[in-house]
Amino acid sequence: MANLKVNIGRLALKNPVMTASGTFGYGLEYADFFPLETLGGIIVKGTTLHPREGNDYPRMMETPHGMLNCVGLQNKGVDYFCKNIYPQIRSLGTEMIVNVSGSSPDDYAECAARINELEDIHAIELNISCPNVKDGGMVFGVTTAGARSVVKAVREAYGKTLIVKLSPNVTDITEIAKACEDEGADSLSLINTLMGMSIDIERRQPNLSIKTGGLSGPAVKPVAVRMVWQVAHAVKVPVVGLGGIMTAADAIEFLMAGATAVEVGTANFIDPAVTPKIIKGIDEWLDSHGCHSVQEIIGAML
């Protein structure tokens, strides 16, 4: 068995496979399918300073090679998370990472500050790139100035490992990546979903309530691998790769492109036990290729 341990800033993971925010709930929902401590980490659903109802239905639909969603960060707010969810997940045996979003830099910073007080949460993933909310999110993630403003505010309020999730819906993702690194990001995760749309031709209406949504799944993987490779060249901090990972081979592509770890998202909806299979597959590939550690393939094509 190969050594699968990796580090994201000060965050030590037992293996490089995590679950993507919004696709794995708080982890507890998947506990009947496999031991959660198998995972390198779980990134819980998006959390905001104040409760959010999310967008109207319909807000999810299947596409030929993935899915569109416009859930809109539905959650009960950070105080509810701290009081009711945190006690249930703090001892699951894997790193629990909170995905944080907001409508202003101050909102982001206050939410992060409250999570900073939770002893057993060692990292947050800062969502500056959600494409399916009506305020915040996309506004901050598509310009260097917007990204800087949020990362700077959160860095001042949050003292643990800070992962910043980047949008692919930009002209040059490397410029935004470097801006986030400059303002103190410990790591960058990418990509978030691509903007997409689907139309019901009989009703002559969009299939999603807010017309557009985020496209995820296998269709986005080639774009994601390319962007991970670009960003890994451009920054010195670790990169976390995601976007269409369905198999161990997919995950290995991201690692070879320069990702230190990966997140599995849409695949969880198809097979709730896909992540331990991916971990096992990575380990078997490393053994069959004479690799003693996953570190040997991280950035192997750089």
Side-chain angles (χ1 to χ4, degrees):
M1 182 174 180
N3 181 358
L4 298 181
K5 295 179 180 178
V6 297
N7 291 301
I8 303 295
R10 292 162 287 169
L11 188 71
L13 305 180
K14 65 184 73 173
N15 63 67
V17 179
M18 300 185 285
T19 58
S21 174
T23 66
F24 209 72
Y26 293 111
L28 301 168
E29 298 87 339
Y30 285 76
D32 290 340
F33 295 101
F34 65 91
L36 296 177
E37 62 268 22
T38 303
L39 295 168
I42 295 171
I43 302 179
V44 305
K45 64 182 295 184
T47 301
T48 52
L49 182 60
H50 304 295
R52 295 185 70 125
E53 293 297 325
N55 293 317
D56 292 336
Y57 292 89
R59 55 192 193 182
M60 295 180 73
M61 71 161 295
E62 196 170 349
T63 67
H65 299 287
M67 63 178 287
L68 283 167
N69 94 86
C70 65
V71 173
L73 299 173
Q74 178 182 354
N75 76 103
K76 294 184 178 180
V78 69
D79 290 338
Y80 179 89
F81 173 84
C82 293
K83 182 178 179 180
N84 297 283
I85 303 300
Y86 172 64
Q88 299 181 66
I89 66 173
R90 63 182 301 180
S91 301
L92 290 182
T94 186
E95 290 293 341
M96 303 301 296
I97 301 166
V98 180
N99 181 279
V100 171
S101 194
S103 300
S104 70
D106 288 344
D107 276 1
Y108 277 96
E110 180 57 31
C111 186
R114 297 187 193 185
I115 295 170
N116 194 57
E117 299 303 314
L118 304 178
E119 181 181 359
D120 295 313
I121 301 291
H122 304 126
I124 61 173
E125 181 181 62
L126 196 63
N127 182 7
I128 63 170
S129 55
C130 186
N132 53 45
V133 293
K134 295 176 182 176
D135 57 353
M138 238 351 227
V139 174
F140 299 112
V142 298
T143 67
T144 54
R148 283 184 183 278
S149 68
V150 176
V151 177
K152 184 176 188 295
V154 172
R155 183 75 284 175
E156 291 173 355
Y158 187 76
K160 302 176 187 177
T161 298
L162 174 58
I163 305 166
V164 180
K165 191 170 188 176
L166 302 182
S167 171
N169 302 296
V170 297
T171 303
D172 185 351
I173 197 168
T174 63
E175 290 304 309
I176 294 174
K178 288 186 283 189
C180 293
E181 181 183 37
D182 289 345
E183 295 298 340
D186 297 303
S187 175
L188 303 167
S189 62
L190 61 150
I191 59 173
N192 208 328
T193 52
L194 286 158
M195 285 287 286
M197 176 184 274
S198 174
I199 296 171
D200 182 328
I201 61 172
E202 298 303 326
R203 295 189 303 117
R204 305 185 188 189
Q205 295 290 328
N207 282 310
L208 296 177
S209 63
I210 64 167
K211 299 182 176 63
T212 62
L215 177 66
S216 62
V220 310
K221 194 192 85 175
V223 177
V225 172
R226 183 262 298 177
M227 287 189 163
V228 164
W229 174 72
Q230 286 180 303
V231 170
H233 270 87
V235 300
K236 295 181 174 62
V237 296
V239 172
V240 178
L242 66 151
I245 297 174
M246 309 296 286
T247 66
D250 293 335
I252 290 168
E253 277 193 65
F254 278 89
L255 296 171
M256 288 186 174
T260 296
V262 297
E263 298 176 23
V264 179
T266 300
N268 292 305
F269 297 129
I270 300 168
D271 178 3
V274 69
T275 41
K277 295 174 185 176
I278 290 174
I279 295 167
K280 184 173 184 288
I282 294 171
D283 185 40
E284 290 175 346
W285 189 94
L286 292 170
D287 284 345
S288 69
H289 289 76
C291 299
H292 299 293
S293 169
V294 70
Q295 300 290 340
E296 295 177 43
I297 65 167
I298 293 173
M301 67 149 277
L302 293 176

